[in-house]
Amino acid sequence: MTVRHKDYGEEQKRLEETLSVIDREIALLREEIKEPTDDYVKQVVNYKKAKELRYLEHQGREKPYFGRVDFLKHETGETDSVYIGKRGIVRSDTFDSIVVDWRAPIASLYYSGESRDAYYRTKHGIVRGEVKLKRNFAIDQGKITGIYDGALKETINRELGSPDEFLEEGYIDEFLAASLNQTNDSRLKDIVATIQAEQNEIIRADKDKIVIVQGVAGSGKTTIALHRLSYLIYNYQDTLASKRFMVFAPNRLFLHYISEVLPELGVDDVQQATFLDWAAKLVKPILPKGWRILDPSKALMLFFEEAPGEEREKAWKRMRFKGSLACKETLDAYLQYLIRERIPFRDLRFIYNKTKQVFTLPAQEIRDLFAGALSHLPYRARVEALRKQLKQEMNKRVFAHLREQRIDLDKQGLARFERMIEQILDRYLEAWPSVDVFAAYREILTTPELLRRLAPPAVDDETLRVVGETSAALFAGERVEAEDIAPLLYLKHLLEGLGGTEPFDHAVVDEAQDLSPLEIAIVALMSKRQSVTIVGDIAQGIHAYRGLSSWDELLQGVFAGEAAAFYTLEQSYRSTIEIMKLANTVLHQIELPQEVKAKPVLRHGAEPEIVHYAARDALWADIVRRVEAFRKEGLQTVAIVSKTMEEGKKAYKALKPSIPDIALVNSKDTEFPGGVTIMPAYVTKGLQFDAVILLDADDEHYGLTEWDAKLLYVAMTRPVHRLLITCVNSRLTPLLQQEKTRVSP
């Protein structure tokens, strides 16, 4: 629906009235904050006003709203006509709401679709009614350039044998289509205007619920998680603080890629880090002086750059174990081992000299108290709590005896008695082990008999032997690896607690399939009420040596017994039907524990090309030509994707003379430059580009293994508009051999 919409004149008039209100508010705000002040309260107020002014000047005036909902309330029979934008706009003179914030309860109607039995929740209860109109607006420079009514959806019924039969049935509205057809620059964008119903349900889920999202490539799971943060902060600002929210991303490059989304959503001070960067700060005080954490890029080199070998196989077993639920069980078993075999539980006997009365606290009662009622506490806190309870019980018994004997203690007598009790408890507890976290961890991993005894029976002897021997060699060089951090923190949780670090009000874990179950357990431990949002895609789990193999590791392992909400997002909004159909064929070649095949929205584009080249020079020449053609089409971001960094460097050397602004990106980079880039496939995950040129999709680079299939799938699902797959003088990977290919002239 274009500007020729029947209500165009009325809507343009309403927009002009809104802009007039905004201009008045801008003038008022400028006047109110122009004078400096030493008053702290006024400074805080002025800071908030300055933020509001920046929004109105730079975003609010450009596009004050993107949607409208007309809602007939059953209770009153009145119809509310609500305009929805990124932020709410209120007239300061009348306090009338001109634009409603997308996070407000009534705005949920905009995202939930048309319904004759619609409702939204408020603090005072549920408001029921009927959505009479849902309308989208395209606005540019104060003018409406498009009006799209939500009811105008194109429903596609597919017949058996149709080229798109794998899609089952779906629809796409014009407004969403216009958004998806835009080109991409170097940053992720917000989607407040095009949030879909299934995404909205996740964003608005209860704040204290564990939310786990399996989302296919392009389903918007990252953006959904960030919008959920914004929603929670807006709706629970009295109890939650944005500075105590955390976003965990897979690498620093990805953090830069998403860096503009939260400020766009009005959230400026959320913490953002990789798990390693955050957790390393917590673990360093645990390590002996002079010890260091190995650069995690060494693991990337071992698994993605080097040929398989014995070292890689051993590292796989060691790293996989250290992040596993089996390792968590091993550390839990160590605490029980301490209690059973290293604590000398014995009767606590003492004599009150004045009456020669002997008092006894039986060893079994002390054991039961320590292992039972106090079991919720870390070991060290448990010992302190036990000491207090023993002292309380000793006092109780002695004073009962003194009352029976009608003996009164003066102030000096009470002081002597207090010292006596403390000395008795000191002697009793001095034989109890005082456990150092790192020393205990080292003992567990490098003492074969102890490791075998503590580890679950399902872990085979060979794996434990490799874990022990290779960990001992690592420790001998006064080094730990990234995979040691989570188990060390978990053992600290068991022995000392994770106090000293302020817990998160809420945490988001993105690309969660590449974190270990134990790492995710640490995030949950550091989040109040386990308030976490976890998003990922098992089909993109390319870090199999350390990451999740199944969501069951969380649902039935880390969060067993908890009320976790599991969502599946099958709709992909990134790539065209043609690209996703080809990418899905790769997953058909392997067996995944939980395969979720992407269903793209109904957006067609150019067919992906698979091209064979007789020589490498022909490939480089064709890439130069294609990049130039892509740019002429208006495609802003083009990724040339190699399998390894070493091959990416060769491509960069060959293409740099002809494409001077081309950039080479690796896992250590902290900024995504946009434009034309070369990067290995394992770095592309989470990113998206207008076009992707995939290098060397041959049988030597991508074989019929689950790992290769996932890596190839990741690379193929990055482009929004164009995909070129290349081979040079070699056979196409068997993952794609059933597809039509052509030979470059």
Side-chain angles (χ1 to χ4, degrees):
M1 189 70 62
T2 69
V3 293
R4 289 188 290 272
H5 190 282
K6 63 182 177 62
D7 294 336
Y8 173 74
E10 177 186 332
E11 293 290 8
Q12 180 61 38
K13 180 181 178 183
R14 204 280 181 183
L15 174 61
E16 290 167 359
E17 291 171 352
T18 301
L19 294 175
S20 177
V21 171
I22 290 174
D23 287 339
R24 286 198 300 272
E25 293 301 315
I26 288 174
L28 286 171
L29 287 168
R30 285 174 177 168
E31 185 67 26
E32 289 171 357
I33 67 174
K34 72 177 182 180
E35 294 295 333
T37 177
D38 294 330
D39 185 278
Y40 175 73
V41 174
K42 288 183 179 179
Q43 287 176 349
V44 172
V45 171
N46 283 353
Y47 173 72
K48 291 181 178 179
K49 288 182 176 179
K51 286 180 67 175
E52 183 181 356
L53 177 60
R54 283 197 302 273
Y55 170 73
L56 291 176
E57 288 178 329
H58 300 293
Q59 296 181 57
R61 208 189 183 292
E62 170 69 21
K63 187 174 182 180
Y65 50 80
F66 52 78
R68 168 184 167 181
V69 170
D70 289 0
F71 182 63
L72 173 63
K73 291 184 286 189
H74 286 164
E75 186 175 352
T76 63
E78 298 175 348
T79 298
D80 287 336
S81 185
V82 178
Y83 287 79
I84 300 165
K86 284 186 182 180
R87 310 269 183 94
I89 300 175
V90 178
R91 288 185 63 135
S92 56
D93 54 350
T94 64
F95 299 103
D96 290 336
S97 179
I98 305 303
V99 177
V100 171
D101 193 295
W102 72 272
R103 297 164 291 186
I106 194 172
S108 64
L109 297 168
Y110 171 80
Y111 301 111
S112 57
E114 298 77 29
S115 173
R116 294 183 178 277
D117 186 23
Y119 67 91
Y120 64 93
R121 298 180 185 275
T122 72
K123 294 179 181 179
H124 308 293
I126 296 177
V127 180
R128 298 187 181 277
E130 179 182 348
V131 174
K132 304 296 288 184
L133 174 69
K134 189 173 81 169
R135 179 169 286 173
N136 313 117
F137 300 100
I139 298 174
D140 184 37
Q141 300 294 325
K143 296 291 183 182
I144 294 176
T145 58
I147 299 176
Y148 309 86
D149 284 346
L152 299 177
K153 289 178 177 169
E154 178 187 5
T155 301
I156 309 299
N157 295 306
R158 296 170 183 78
E159 299 177 357
L160 190 64
S162 159
D164 300 329
E165 65 188 27
F166 71 101
L167 286 176
E168 298 176 358
E169 181 175 308
Y171 66 79
I172 181 170
D173 61 56
E174 287 184 275
F175 189 65
L176 176 59
S179 174
L180 296 177
N181 278 319
Q182 293 176 0
T183 56
N184 297 268
D185 57 19
S186 61
R187 304 290 178 90
L188 190 65
K189 299 294 189 295
D190 70 73
I191 58 167
V192 293
T194 57
I195 293 171
Q196 301 299 291
E198 72 275 15
Q199 299 171 330
N200 183 59
E201 182 180 355
I202 297 168
I203 290 170
R204 296 173 187 263
D206 292 345
K207 70 179 176 69
D208 293 334
K209 183 168 285 187
I210 299 163
V211 172
I212 302 174
V213 180
Q214 157 60 43
V216 300
S219 57
K221 51 190 175 292
T222 296
T223 315
I224 291 168
L226 299 181
H227 284 63
R228 175 160 167 73
L229 282 185
S230 179
Y231 169 80
L232 292 175
I233 291 168
Y234 176 86
N235 284 280
Y236 300 98
Q237 53 193 286
D238 294 337
T239 57
L240 305 178
S242 57
K243 66 182 179 181
R244 293 198 297 271
F245 279 53
M246 171 62 89
V247 176
F248 288 107
N251 52 54
R252 295 170 188 170
L253 180 69
F254 190 78
L255 285 171
H256 178 261
Y257 181 65
I258 67 173
S259 61
E260 288 187 357
V261 174
L262 288 172
E264 283 281 319
L265 296 172
V267 182
D268 297 323
D269 51 358
V270 167
Q271 301 177 67
Q272 300 176 56
T274 66
F275 178 85
L276 177 60
D277 286 345
W278 168 79
K281 295 176 183 177
L282 300 184
V283 94
K284 281 180 180 177
I286 301 173
L287 300 178
K289 188 175 181 180
W291 284 56
R292 294 170 57 190
I293 301 169
L294 284 176
D295 186 343
S297 64
K298 184 180 179 187
L300 292 178
M301 293 293 294
L302 182 63
F303 289 107
F304 289 100
E305 302 287 336
E306 300 176 9
E310 185 179 0
E311 182 187 358
R312 177 168 159 177
E313 184 179 346
K314 288 181 177 180
W316 183 293
K317 289 182 177 181
R318 182 184 69 248
M319 294 177 176
R320 186 80 192 159
F321 173 78
K322 287 179 178 179
S324 67
L325 293 174
C327 184
K328 178 178 179 294
E329 291 178 36
T330 302
L331 300 176
D332 286 331
Y334 176 75
L335 181 58
Q336 297 309 311
Y337 161 76
L338 273 183
I339 295 170
R340 284 195 316 269
E341 302 191 26
R342 291 198 177 177
I343 295 178
F345 289 106
R346 53 187 174 82
D347 292 347
L348 175 57
R349 287 192 176 90
F350 61 100
I351 300 174
Y352 183 66
N353 288 328
K354 196 169 185 178
T355 62
K356 304 304 180 185
Q357 176 70 31
V358 177
F359 299 90
T360 302
L361 276 63
Q364 189 58 49
E365 289 185 12
I366 296 173
R367 179 191 291 271
D368 291 346
L369 176 60
F370 191 78
L374 300 177
S375 62
H376 63 287
L377 295 172
Y379 173 77
R380 187 172 294 177
R382 204 187 302 193
V383 172
E384 290 301 315
L386 177 69
R387 182 187 180 104
K388 290 178 182 177
Q389 295 221 20
L390 292 177
K391 182 178 179 179
Q392 186 178 15
E393 183 62 24
M394 292 165 74
N395 278 317
K396 178 181 174 182
R397 295 191 182 193
V398 170
F399 282 111
H401 169 68
L402 293 177
R403 283 193 299 272
E404 289 176 2
Q405 299 297 317
R406 297 186 177 182
I407 297 173
D408 291 326
L409 294 179
D410 57 17
K411 186 177 290 186
Q412 289 183 333
L414 285 170
R416 285 195 300 271
F417 175 71
E418 180 75 18
R419 287 196 299 272
M420 179 194 74
I421 293 292
E422 293 293 348
Q423 290 168 1
I424 291 169
L425 288 171
D426 285 344
R427 289 195 297 271
Y428 183 78
L429 293 172
E430 67 183 1
W432 286 38
S434 177
V435 187
D436 174 78
V437 174
F438 184 76
Y441 182 67
R442 187 172 187 176
E443 179 192 15
I444 293 166
L445 288 191
T446 60
T447 308
E449 300 81 7
L450 181 61
L451 182 58
R452 178 64 279 175
R453 182 176 178 181
L454 300 177
V459 183
D460 62 86
D461 292 343
E462 174 61 16
T463 294
L464 295 182
R465 183 190 66 78
V466 169
V467 169
E469 290 179 357
T470 57
S471 294
L474 192 66
F475 298 156
E478 298 188 347
R479 298 289 187 272
V480 296
E481 59 190 342
E483 284 68 27
D484 286 309
I485 291 178
L488 275 168
L489 288 178
Y490 186 72
L491 188 57
K492 184 179 190 297
H493 158 72
L494 295 176
L495 298 178
E496 300 177 355
L498 292 173
T501 301
E502 191 172 22
F504 309 128
D505 279 351
H506 187 82
V508 163
V509 180
D510 198 5
E511 299 292 345
Q513 74 280 354
D514 291 333
L515 267 68
S516 71
L518 198 44
E519 288 173 335
I520 292 175
I522 295 297
V523 174
L525 285 171
M526 287 299 299
S527 303
K528 293 178 183 177
R529 301 170 299 278
Q530 292 192 322
S531 181
V532 291
T533 300
I534 298 166
V535 301
D537 181 11
I538 294 298
Q540 297 183 64
I542 60 175
H543 297 277
Y545 58 91
R546 66 188 314 275
L548 298 174
S549 58
S550 164
W551 292 117
D552 286 343
E553 292 183 276
L554 301 186
L555 295 168
Q556 299 176 22
V558 174
F559 301 119
E562 303 290 340
F566 183 74
Y567 297 89
T568 299
L569 295 175
E570 298 180 341
Q571 200 79 49
S572 176
Y573 298 95
R574 177 187 297 138
S575 304
T576 61
I577 286 175
E578 290 74 14
I579 291 173
M580 286 309 304
K581 184 177 180 181
L582 182 61
N584 279 333
T585 64
V586 173
L587 296 185
H588 290 158
Q589 308 301 316
I590 58 171
E591 293 184 8
L592 289 175
Q594 290 173 268
E595 179 186 343
V596 180
K597 187 172 61 175
K599 298 177 181 177
V601 295
L602 191 62
R603 185 172 67 89
H604 285 282
E607 287 283 350
E609 292 186 71
I610 302 176
V611 182
H612 285 267
Y613 300 87
R616 189 72 54 177
D617 287 346
L619 168 66
W620 303 139
D622 192 35
I623 288 177
V624 171
R625 180 184 63 79
R626 288 175 182 270
V627 166
E628 184 180 352
F630 288 155
R631 283 174 159 172
K632 286 181 179 178
E633 286 182 49
L635 304 184
Q636 297 182 42
T637 53
V638 180
I640 300 167
V641 180
S642 58
K643 187 177 184 185
T644 69
M645 192 65 217
E646 191 59 36
E647 290 165 342
K649 290 177 181 178
K650 293 177 181 177
Y652 179 76
K653 184 178 179 180
L655 294 171
K656 179 69 173 175
S658 301
I659 311 175
D661 59 343
I662 198 169
L664 181 64
V665 178
N666 63 42
S667 60
K668 292 185 177 182
D669 284 328
T670 58
E671 292 190 8
F672 177 59
V676 182
T677 53
I678 299 176
M679 63 183 74
Y682 57 86
V683 175
T684 67
K685 193 155 52 58
L687 308 178
Q688 70 179 34
F689 314 94
D690 289 327
V692 166
I693 299 173
L694 180 59
L695 303 178
D696 299 315
D698 54 57
D699 53 3
E700 291 184 12
H701 287 81
Y702 298 95
L704 272 176
T705 68
E706 180 177 317
W707 197 3
D708 280 344
K710 288 181 176 180
L711 193 59
L712 185 61
Y713 177 76
V714 165
M716 292 175 63
T717 53
R718 299 308 95 197
V720 176
H721 302 290
R722 297 281 196 282
L723 174 61
L724 170 66
I725 298 172
T726 72
C727 270
V728 179
N729 197 25
S730 55
R731 286 171 53 84
L732 185 68
T733 168
L735 296 167
L736 288 170
Q737 277 184 5
Q738 74 277 25
E739 298 301 318
K740 295 179 181 179
T741 65
R742 71 178 180 84
V743 178
S744 176

